[in-house]
């Protein structure tokens, strides 16, 4: 695992990036002016400049509902390093068309699923994608899973049609897949991912408000059922081929919930623990995403798929970051070079207090590799950090695995500066 950036060097790097991005990202410049910040001399100077994760969903929902794509461009432009307002959106009919049009102009917009509420949209560039892919390959190598074309590569998750997912999948297949690898099923040209997730978020909000119409609910439920059937068919396809090649090496890439379902399907197909004997490997990220699984779900997956902790790259990250915090065999996430960690109080205003070499609070990061926007973000996660050397022997800050969302606690997920920064963004849309 990489060493943590030296404190003095990190402050110099933060100031250099601030001086550069302030000239490029309109909302950052307005925020710095309002706070009277001209130079980063200490870590505390950065805190008012970190954008709450909600900033990337601060657009008025009416812009999507009414197809006001030029105004949505202005919203995204206010948070971007490279200008978006000159992207032609004539003829765009829906959110997927808007994102496709932006991508053709080099703005690789990514979005949250929106399943927990309003979708967020983040502007990324090809440099961002390359940085993320390089980091992924480096993490795999450090985890003892070097790029060798001797594996069956199984991307367990559903087909989304998103270019970022496709690029990651193709990179792993090119680096790891053997010539006769298990075939990966492809869903023909899906172009409605964002429209579906945005619609799902809107319906869930309407259901909570009691304003959803029965036919609207039925429409979204039918679309969700179709996707679930496609995912189930995909998993059964993989299970069939795994049982035919149960002694050969397989590299699984997945979020946890579909991987657990794959293990269940293998059991349903007659497989028992110990039947699959290849020295298999696994890469996971993203947590449970709201799914409820048995307490021993990881053990069940390990035993069914013949995976050991030494062949499992697990990491903590988020879509606002290019870099990952990989987990070591002691069960802690290591903060890599290039990623500056801040642990803040619940409101995101001040550093959380340290006690016995540990600090607990709201996770915030600055990713020095980010190109398409400002690299500082305040997350919705509550974490516990050890500032001392990890029991694995590596130095630097480590994050304990028990990570919770403030939104899931009795305390809400309100970040004090969020409303102010959202107001700046809305001002750019109105101008």
């Amino acid at each position: 695992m990489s060493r943590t950036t030296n404190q003095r060097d990190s402050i110099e790097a933060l100031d250099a990036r601030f001086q550069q991005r302030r000239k490029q990202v309109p909302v950052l410049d307005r925020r710095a002016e309002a706070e009277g910040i001209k130079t980063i001399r200490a870590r505390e100077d950065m805190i008012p400049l970190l954008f709450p994760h909600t900033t990337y969903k601060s657009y008025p929902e009416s812009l999507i509902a009414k197809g006001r794509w030029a105004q949505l461009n202005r919203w995204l432009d206010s948070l971007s390093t490279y200008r978006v307002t000159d992207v032609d959106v004539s003829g765009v009919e829906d959110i997927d068309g808007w994102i496709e049009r932006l991508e053709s102009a080099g703005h690789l917009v990514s979005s949250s699923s929106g399943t927990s509420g309003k979708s967020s949209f983040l502007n990324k560039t090809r440099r961002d994608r390359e940085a993320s892919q390089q980091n992924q390959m480096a993490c795999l190598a450090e985890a003892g899973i070097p790029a060798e074309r001797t594996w069956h590569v199984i991307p367990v998750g559903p087909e989304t049609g998103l270019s970022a997912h496709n690029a990651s999948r193709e990179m792993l297949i090119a680096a790891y897949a053997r010539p006769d690898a298990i075939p990966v099923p492809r869903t023909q040209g899906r172009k409605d991912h964002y429209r579906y997730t945005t619609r799902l978020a809107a319906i869930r909000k309407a259901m909570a408000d009691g304003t959803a119409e029965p036919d609207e609910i039925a429409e979204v439920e039918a679309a969700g059922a179709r996707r679930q059937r496609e995912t189930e068919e995909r998993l059964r396809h993989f299970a069939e081929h795994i049982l035919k090649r149960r002694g050969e090496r397989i590299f699984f890439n997945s979020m946890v919930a579909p991987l657990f379902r794959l293990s269940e399907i293998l059991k349903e197909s007659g497989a028992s623990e110990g039947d699959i004997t290849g020295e298999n490997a696994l890469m996971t990220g993203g947590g449970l995403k709201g799914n409820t699984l048995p307490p021993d779900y990881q053990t069940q997956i390990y035993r069914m798929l013949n995976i050991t902790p030494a062949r499992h790259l697990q990491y903590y990250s988020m879509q606002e970051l290019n870099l990952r915090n990989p987990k070591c065999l002691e069960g802690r996430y290591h903060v890599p070079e290039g990623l500056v960690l801040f642990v803040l109080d619940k409101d995101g205003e001040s550093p959380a207090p340290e006690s016995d070499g540990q600090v607990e609070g709201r996770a915030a990061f600055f990713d020095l590799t980010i190109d398409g926007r400002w690299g500082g973000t305040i997350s919705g996660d509550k974490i516990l950090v050890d500032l001392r050397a990890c029991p694995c022997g590596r130095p630097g800050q480590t994050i304990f695995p028990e990570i919770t969302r403030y939104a899931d606690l009795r305390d809400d997920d309100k970040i004090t500066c969020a409303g102010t920064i959202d107001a700046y963004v809305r001002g750019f849309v109105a101008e």
Side-chain angles (χ1 to χ4, degrees):
M1 310 267 175
S2 302
R3 61 181 174 82
T4 305
T5 308
N6 175 276
Q7 174 92 341
R8 183 173 61 186
D9 290 346
S10 71
I11 292 173
E12 292 177 354
L14 290 171
D15 182 57
R17 188 55 52 88
F18 167 64
Q19 301 302 334
Q20 178 189 27
R21 291 289 183 252
R22 180 174 186 177
K23 302 172 184 177
Q24 299 169 317
V25 181
V27 169
L28 173 63
D29 183 58
R30 186 164 293 186
R31 178 64 174 171
E33 183 178 350
E35 293 293 320
I37 298 174
K38 297 182 178 179
T39 306
I40 305 301
R41 296 188 176 91
R43 289 169 57 90
E44 288 74 16
D45 295 336
M46 281 294 297
I47 295 175
L49 302 177
L50 301 174
F51 290 179
H53 63 98
T54 55
T55 299
Y56 295 101
K57 58 179 71 175
S58 60
Y59 55 89
E61 292 178 271
S62 61
L63 299 186
I64 294 177
K66 297 180 179 179
R68 294 176 176 170
W69 310 115
Q71 283 182 277
L72 199 58
N73 275 4
R74 288 204 296 273
W75 169 80
L76 186 64
D77 184 83
S78 73
L79 295 165
S80 300
T81 304
Y82 306 102
R83 303 285 60 84
V84 178
T85 50
D86 58 353
V87 176
D88 180 17
V89 290
S90 58
V92 170
E93 297 181 353
D94 56 26
I95 193 69
D96 292 273
W98 176 66
I99 289 176
E100 185 176 1
R101 191 68 60 84
L102 288 166
E103 184 161 318
S104 67
H107 303 283
L108 309 183
V109 175
S110 72
S111 172
S112 66
S113 64
T115 53
S116 60
K118 188 178 179 183
S119 294
S120 59
F121 297 107
L122 294 89
N123 202 353
K124 300 185 180 183
T125 67
R126 300 205 179 277
R127 287 182 182 176
D128 287 315
R129 183 171 292 179
E130 290 168 2
S132 178
Q133 291 180 340
Q134 290 170 5
N135 174 254
Q136 186 176 68
M137 296 301 292
C139 288
L140 285 166
E142 290 183 9
I145 314 173
E148 299 172 343
R149 300 203 65 182
T150 58
W151 302 80
H152 297 288
V153 178
I154 296 186
V156 179
E159 182 72 56
T160 64
L162 302 182
S163 66
H165 292 180
N166 293 342
S168 177
R169 178 189 61 201
E170 297 304 326
M171 177 194 68
L172 292 172
I173 289 174
Y176 286 91
R178 50 192 280 177
D180 62 341
I182 292 172
V184 177
R186 306 294 171 88
T187 300
Q188 184 177 4
R190 169 167 287 160
K191 296 290 186 180
D192 65 345
H193 176 80
Y194 291 113
R195 182 168 66 248
Y196 169 71
T197 56
T198 302
R199 183 64 173 155
L200 178 61
I203 289 297
R204 288 185 171 178
K205 181 179 179 181
M207 290 174 66
D209 296 341
T211 59
E213 297 292 335
D215 58 338
E216 294 177 326
I217 297 172
E219 178 187 351
V220 170
E221 288 179 342
R226 285 194 299 272
R227 280 167 164 72
Q228 183 60 42
R229 286 194 299 271
E230 291 173 359
T231 299
E232 187 75 3
E233 291 171 2
R234 181 183 179 90
L235 294 176
R236 291 190 178 278
H237 164 85
F238 285 135
E240 177 184 351
H241 284 276
I242 290 168
L243 293 174
K244 292 177 181 177
R245 308 196 184 205
R246 62 184 69 194
E248 300 174 5
R249 292 207 304 176
I250 302 173
F251 179 19
F252 297 93
N253 310 289
S254 178
M255 290 189 292
V256 173
L259 192 69
F260 184 78
R261 178 58 189 147
L262 176 62
S263 298
E264 289 184 322
I265 291 173
L266 287 166
K267 291 178 185 178
E268 294 167 6
S269 302
S272 301
E273 293 178 359
D275 289 349
I276 297 170
T277 58
E279 293 186 352
N280 301 329
L282 170 63
M283 178 174 66
T284 57
L288 295 180
K289 295 295 185 184
N291 294 282
T292 301
L293 298 180
D296 65 340
Y297 69 86
Q298 183 165 281
T299 300
Q300 291 189 44
I301 291 171
Y302 277 1
R303 289 177 177 173
M304 176 53 68
L305 301 181
N306 194 37
I307 294 165
T308 68
R311 297 195 302 270
H312 179 190
L313 170 60
Q314 190 171 3
Y315 58 85
Y316 168 52
S317 191
M318 55 197 68
Q319 76 158 354
E320 290 86 356
L321 305 178
N322 291 337
L323 302 181
R324 297 159 181 79
N325 299 278
K327 182 184 276 190
C328 71
L329 293 178
E330 293 292 334
R332 297 189 184 185
Y333 297 105
H334 284 249
V335 182
E337 185 176 4
L339 193 62
V340 182
L341 171 65
F342 299 82
V343 185
L344 308 179
D345 60 12
K346 174 183 171 293
D347 295 329
E349 291 186 295
S350 306
E354 177 186 339
S355 177
D356 295 327
Q358 296 184 355
V359 56
E360 184 177 44
R362 186 181 290 272
F365 298 94
F366 194 94
D367 188 332
L368 288 162
T369 71
I370 288 177
D371 179 53
R373 61 196 184 282
W374 178 230
T377 187
I378 303 176
S379 79
D381 295 340
K382 183 179 182 181
I383 61 171
L384 176 63
V385 173
D386 198 330
L387 306 176
R388 302 161 296 191
C390 180
C392 77
R394 295 181 177 90
Q397 301 166 318
T398 54
I399 303 171
F400 286 89
E402 295 77 19
I403 298 170
T404 56
R405 293 183 178 182
Y406 278 100
D408 294 334
L409 303 173
R410 289 186 178 180
D411 295 333
D412 58 35
D413 188 23
K414 291 182 180 178
I415 301 172
T416 299
C417 67
T420 303
I421 294 181
D422 288 357
Y424 298 152
V425 179
R426 288 194 296 273
F428 283 102
V429 174
E431 289 174 357

